[in-house]
Amino acid sequence: MKSKIILLGPPGAGKGTQAEILGNKLGFTRLSTGDMLREAVRNGTELGKKAKTYMDAGGLVPNDIIIGMMKEKIENLEGAFLLDGYPRTVEQADALGTIVDIDLAVNIDVDDDVLIDRLTKRRSCPKCNAVYHLTNKPPKKDGICDACGAELYQRDDDKEETIKNRLKVYRENTFPLIDYYSKKGKLFTVKGNEGTIDDIFARIEKALKD
Ligand code: AMP
């Protein structure tokens, strides 16, 4: 089975949701740059202070900061792993390629109108990073994480104005990676708004085993 994978796709495509299932069902170690950065912001570290302004505006944190943050983490990974939210630029992809040869880039493709609905209705767990959707995947108890019992919150960058900028940033900076990995023969695209979360997972699982 393919064991070194990255997840590509616009914000709201379901990368975090699929990463969670891949971790739970197939034992992938998950590295999410967004989760790492949000934790750094919550803890008020130097990295968090630098990253916050970019994140609040829906922009990308500069490549040198992100590449430096990820290098050591990736070098220390053992066993199957997935990167969620990295790389997000061609420069990051080139930097990743000098550390590890990935097996597959899973591109989760979703139309813009669906993304905006998903992001505005997304609620996140600050403690275990689980993600919910107010109508498609609500928590069992209103406002409380099923997995760990923490109080759910709406990310600052999940407000409509910031979302529009995040989608623009995605198109300009991250979308070219689809071609980048396709040319290397490593791209698998799955439609992220057809079928249930489990159906989408099943398609990804099959691609990992092919
Ligand atoms: P995410 O949780 O993946 O949507 O990431 C939230 C925010 O963190 C993004 O909008 C960026 O500001 C920042 N971020 C996450 N990953 C990266 C990355 N690979 N490069 C630059 N900025 C990133």
Side-chain angles (χ1 to χ4, degrees):
M1 190 170 83
K2 299 180 181 71
S3 62
K4 290 176 276 183
I5 67 171
I6 63 171
L7 297 185
L8 292 177
K15 298 188 296 296
T17 301
Q18 293 301 330
E20 205 177 309
I21 308 178
L22 284 158
N24 293 343
K25 291 203 174 157
L26 301 180
F28 277 83
T29 301
R30 171 187 172 191
L31 276 190
S32 155
T33 43
D35 288 345
M36 279 180 219
L37 291 168
R38 278 184 290 280
E39 197 182 326
V41 171
R42 271 197 293 274
N43 294 337
T45 65
E46 276 312 304
L47 168 70
K49 284 181 202 152
K50 281 189 204 152
K52 189 175 183 324
T53 17
Y54 301 100
M55 295 171 76
D56 285 350
L60 291 183
V61 177
N63 280 325
D64 55 336
I65 299 179
I66 295 288
I67 290 170
M69 174 182 98
M70 292 301 281
K71 186 173 187 295
E72 202 184 335
K73 299 240 189 266
I74 295 169
E75 280 170 348
N76 290 329
L77 282 170
E78 279 171 20
F81 70 82
L82 72 87
L83 307 180
D84 165 10
Y86 186 83
R88 251 176 159 109
T89 64
V90 169
E91 196 176 334
Q92 292 177 14
D94 284 340
L96 175 64
T98 65
I99 309 173
V100 68
D101 198 14
I102 64 141
D103 297 324
L104 197 67
V106 177
N107 170 39
I108 309 182
D109 180 37
V110 175
D111 304 330
D112 275 14
D113 50 336
V114 179
L115 295 173
I116 293 174
D117 172 81
R118 283 190 183 178
L119 290 167
T120 48
K121 293 189 184 149
R122 173 158 74 180
R123 295 296 179 268
S124 308
C125 175
K127 203 166 150 210
C128 74
N129 299 312
V131 278
Y132 298 87
H133 180 278
L134 292 180
T135 36
N136 300 344
K137 192 194 169 205
K140 291 196 182 83
K141 197 169 163 221
D142 236 12
I144 302 294
C145 178
D146 293 349
C148 75
E151 198 172 325
L152 301 177
Y153 79 116
Q154 182 176 29
R155 281 169 45 175
D156 285 340
D157 60 353
D158 279 347
K159 310 271 158 73
E160 194 153 344
E161 267 325 292
T162 319
I163 290 171
K164 289 194 176 134
N165 194 38
R166 288 166 68 202
L167 292 175
K168 182 167 170 274
V169 165
Y170 166 78
R171 266 183 234 109
E172 286 169 6
N173 298 278
T174 313
F175 186 75
L177 294 183
I178 293 175
D179 199 37
Y180 181 100
Y181 286 108
S182 170
K183 283 191 176 130
K184 290 183 191 291
K186 291 196 171 160
L187 188 77
F188 169 70
T189 294
V190 61
K191 204 69 187 135
N193 55 326
E194 284 171 10
T196 63
I197 290 171
D198 288 338
D199 294 336
I200 296 159
F201 171 71
R203 283 179 240 147
I204 296 175
E205 186 180 24
K206 183 171 176 301
L208 294 177
K209 290 180 175 164
D210 278 348

